[in-house]
Amino acid sequence: MKKFLLALGLTLIASVAAAANPQVVLDTAKGQITVELYPDAAPASVANFLRYVKEKHYDGTIFHRVVKDFVVQGGGYDPKMSERPTNAPVKNEAEHAFKAGLKNDRGTLAMARTNDPDSATSQFYFNLKNNDFLNYPGRDNYGYTVFGRVIKGMDVVDAISAVPVLPGDFPATPVLIKSVRVEGAAAGK
């Protein structure tokens, strides 16, 4: 009985610890994607993403860049390709996230940025394969910050990655992000 109670207690502790990470649902034209965010590994990036979610910034945006066998990127443009205004950029956390075990592997969620390592604002991408060259230190001694992972709906990400694209990796038919919301206990925070 003691062993059972100990095992049950450890299971409950593990469940509570896992539940502590915020989960976000992206409702897209292709289906739903649920991601788990990792604030311990990338606190500024997670806080930044959640701020945009709570401000409903992502609602009505599109996946504007689809590169087969690489990434699906969104979070910055509406269907008319008008760029949404953004908050101040966040500091690159790729080194911290990498040392915490997060890599640009298939199914992970990361911050998109320009050549300036500290330029990430609202845009994010899903890795379609392991993209080791994007990890810290990367080609530029900074890398790209991974801050989450798809826990449900990778088939939806794959469906988005399969859409026909125009020159510039823009989907021929825009893939809409209808809404993005925080799930569970973290929703009230």
Side-chain angles (χ1 to χ4, degrees):
M1 184 68 166
K2 252 184 173 178
K3 285 183 180 179
F4 171 76
L5 291 175
L6 178 61
L8 179 62
L10 291 175
T11 302
L12 289 173
I13 290 168
S15 296
V16 169
N21 289 330
Q23 293 183 4
V24 174
V25 176
L26 292 85
D27 186 16
T28 78
K30 296 283 185 187
Q32 290 188 342
I33 305 163
T34 304
V35 295
E36 181 176 34
L37 307 180
Y38 303 110
D40 290 343
S45 299
V46 168
N48 176 68
F49 185 76
L50 289 173
R51 178 180 177 187
Y52 283 109
V53 170
K54 289 175 182 172
E55 292 173 349
K56 304 218 177 281
H57 173 90
Y58 297 123
D59 296 5
T61 61
I62 58 169
F63 288 101
H64 65 275
R65 183 173 180 231
V66 174
V67 185
K68 190 169 181 61
D69 298 322
F70 180 44
V71 298
V72 169
Q73 184 174 331
Y77 296 91
D78 69 20
K80 294 180 180 177
M81 281 303 288
S82 295
E83 190 169 7
R84 294 262 172 108
T86 62
N87 300 315
V90 293
K91 185 161 179 51
N92 187 303
E93 299 177 295
E95 179 178 7
H96 188 264
F98 182 76
K99 288 179 177 177
L102 295 180
K103 300 184 214 172
N104 280 277
D105 287 344
R106 175 172 164 75
T108 57
L109 176 65
M111 294 302 301
R113 63 171 175 84
T114 66
N115 288 333
D116 175 353
D118 298 323
S119 62
T121 57
S122 66
Q123 292 187 37
F124 58 85
Y125 62 89
F126 291 104
N127 283 289
L128 299 174
K129 67 174 191 140
N130 294 356
N131 291 309
D132 294 337
F133 71 97
L134 297 176
N135 294 330
Y136 171 82
R139 296 175 179 168
D140 62 0
N141 293 317
Y142 293 98
Y144 290 74
T145 305
V146 176
F147 65 98
R149 177 178 314 280
V150 175
I151 58 172
K152 186 177 174 187
M154 193 60 198
D155 58 327
V156 176
V157 176
D158 289 336
I160 296 167
S161 76
V163 301
V165 294
L166 302 171
D169 304 318
F170 182 75
T173 302
V175 179
L176 185 68
I177 299 172
K178 298 175 188 178
S179 66
V180 182
R181 69 182 182 282
V182 178
E183 281 284 282
K189 293 182 181 177

